[in-house]
Amino acid sequence: MLFTSCYDRDIIDQKEFDHSLPKVENLNYTREGDVIKLAWQMPANISADFKRPLEVSVQVVENNIYRQIVTVENENTAVNITIDAGKKYRFVVKLLGYLTVEAQEEGKTDRVYSESQVIEVQ
């Protein structure tokens, strides 16, 4: 009799994706007429596995309808967004980073988002 066995080495070797970003800190807003100024602080505990500078992604939701994504580059900590004063808005704010070449894992994304923070304006 001949016995053989096989296994999928990729399953055995695969490890969990172990890269994450913290949320932006102290997210707040001010309003002057039809302009909302969102402001935040960059967290201090960002892994060296990420290329610098980081970006912040702001999703603009108007009356429960997704309208646009505003990308804030170079680790800037504020953005002005023009709104229609008669509508309700929700802003979903996430930190966005790209892994360094050394930290990238084969077959996995190099783009990482933090958990979101949400601000509602009515």
Side-chain angles (χ1 to χ4, degrees), residues 61-67 88-90 120:
V61 181
E62 177 187 86
N63 283 344
N64 294 320
I65 299 171
Y66 165 80
R67 291 295 180 194
K88 293 187 271 184
Y89 285 85
R90 185 169 59 247
E120 294 194 20

Side-chain angles (χ1 to χ4, degrees), residues 49-68:
D49 289 344
F50 290 95
K51 297 176 188 174
R52 299 301 285 267
L54 300 174
E55 299 175 354
V56 173
S57 171
V58 179
Q59 296 176 4
V60 179
V61 181
E62 177 187 86
N63 283 344
N64 294 320
I65 299 171
Y66 165 80
R67 291 295 180 194
Q68 66 177 322

Side-chain angles (χ1 to χ4, degrees), residues 29-45:
Y29 78 93
T30 56
R31 179 176 181 171
E32 289 189 28
D34 289 346
V35 176
I36 296 290
K37 180 178 182 175
L38 295 172
W40 56 86
Q41 292 177 336
M42 298 298 287
N45 56 339

Side-chain angles (χ1 to χ4, degrees), residues 40 53-57 70-78:
W40 56 86
L54 300 174
E55 299 175 354
V56 173
S57 171
V70 176
T71 301
V72 182
E73 299 176 333
N74 297 320
E75 297 192 20
N76 287 322
T77 58

Side-chain angles (χ1 to χ4, degrees), residues 11-111:
I11 293 172
I12 294 170
D13 288 343
Q14 185 173 7
K15 59 183 178 181
E16 294 295 318
F17 188 72
D18 192 30
H19 301 286
S20 63
L21 284 168
K23 298 177 192 178
V24 296
E25 298 174 346
N26 301 318
L27 178 62
N28 62 66
Y29 78 93
T30 56
R31 179 176 181 171
E32 289 189 28
D34 289 346
V35 176
I36 296 290
K37 180 178 182 175
L38 295 172
W40 56 86
Q41 292 177 336
M42 298 298 287
N45 56 339
I46 297 170
S47 168
D49 289 344
F50 290 95
K51 297 176 188 174
R52 299 301 285 267
L54 300 174
E55 299 175 354
V56 173
S57 171
V58 179
Q59 296 176 4
V60 179
V61 181
E62 177 187 86
N63 283 344
N64 294 320
I65 299 171
Y66 165 80
R67 291 295 180 194
Q68 66 177 322
I69 292 178
V70 176
T71 301
V72 182
E73 299 176 333
N74 297 320
E75 297 192 20
N76 287 322
T77 58
V79 64
N80 290 330
I81 299 174
T82 302
I83 63 167
D84 179 339
K87 297 182 179 178
K88 293 187 271 184
Y89 285 85
R90 185 169 59 247
F91 301 97
V92 181
V93 180
K94 299 178 185 181
L95 192 57
L96 167 60
Y98 293 89
L99 292 170
T100 63
V101 173
E102 299 80 23
Q104 291 179 20
E105 298 178 30
E106 186 175 331
K108 298 195 178 179
T109 185
D110 69 333
R111 182 174 52 186

